[in-house]
């Protein structure tokens, strides 16, 4: 059987990238900008794969467990939990001004002003305006770069496949 290796075992590198994609993919699924219905799933998977490849090249990641085993699946669930928590942190940051705009709109008598969103649901006008303002501020101030840095540094703080807590 002919096996193409190119100096490294390609199948092992593939599973390593897939394992590293679990954290970045979970973070992108929970992040408010990437979870929008207008962002195709192919874009999310491509960005998660690009982040995983860059992490594999830049961050010294130890050997990852065998993904096809039960222990590997448990480790993937742990990676997804870390990624989802990073995405939910960003979700909370975006939700605070939107909730404040709902309270302000209710105090001004604008709680009945709603518009139809692209997903077919009704959204309050001031909440939609604050969402647009938050996205502009997030990208304008470089918040996306800080969030991606936090995601990449999480691989150093919580190494993939390593136990989270050591037994005493």
């Amino acid at each position: 059987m002919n096996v193409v290796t190119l100096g490294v075992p390609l199948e092992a590198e593939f599973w390593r990238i897939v394992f590293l994609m679990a954290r970045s993919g979970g973070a992108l699924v929970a992040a408010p900008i990437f979870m929008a219905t207008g962002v195709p799933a192919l874009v999310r998977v491509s960005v998660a794969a690009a982040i995983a490849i860059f992490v594999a090249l830049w961050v010294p990641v130890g050997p990852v467990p065998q993904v096809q085993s039960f222990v590997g699946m448990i480790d993937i669930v742990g990676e997804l939990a870390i990624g989802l928590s990073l995405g939910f942190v960003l979700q909370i940051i975006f939700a605070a001004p939107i909730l404040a705009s709902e309270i302000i709109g209710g105090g001004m008598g604008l709680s009945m002003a709603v518009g139809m969103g692209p997903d077919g649901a009704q959204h309050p006008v001031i909440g939609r305006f604050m969402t647009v303002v938050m996205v502009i501020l997030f990208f304008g101030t470089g918040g996306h770069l800080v969030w991606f840095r936090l995601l990449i540094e999480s691989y150093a703080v919580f190494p993939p496949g390593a136990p989270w807590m050591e037994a005493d």
Side-chain angles (χ1 to χ4, degrees), residues 21-27 75-86:
M21 274 179 63
R23 185 180 301 188
S24 59
D75 286 341
I76 285 179
V77 169
E79 292 294 308
L80 280 171
I82 293 172
L84 287 173
S85 65
L86 289 171

Side-chain angles (χ1 to χ4, degrees), residues 9-29:
L10 291 180
E11 184 180 3
E13 277 302 307
F14 171 75
W15 288 114
R16 181 175 180 218
I17 297 299
V18 168
F19 185 76
L20 294 175
M21 274 179 63
R23 185 180 301 188
S24 59
L28 291 175
V29 164

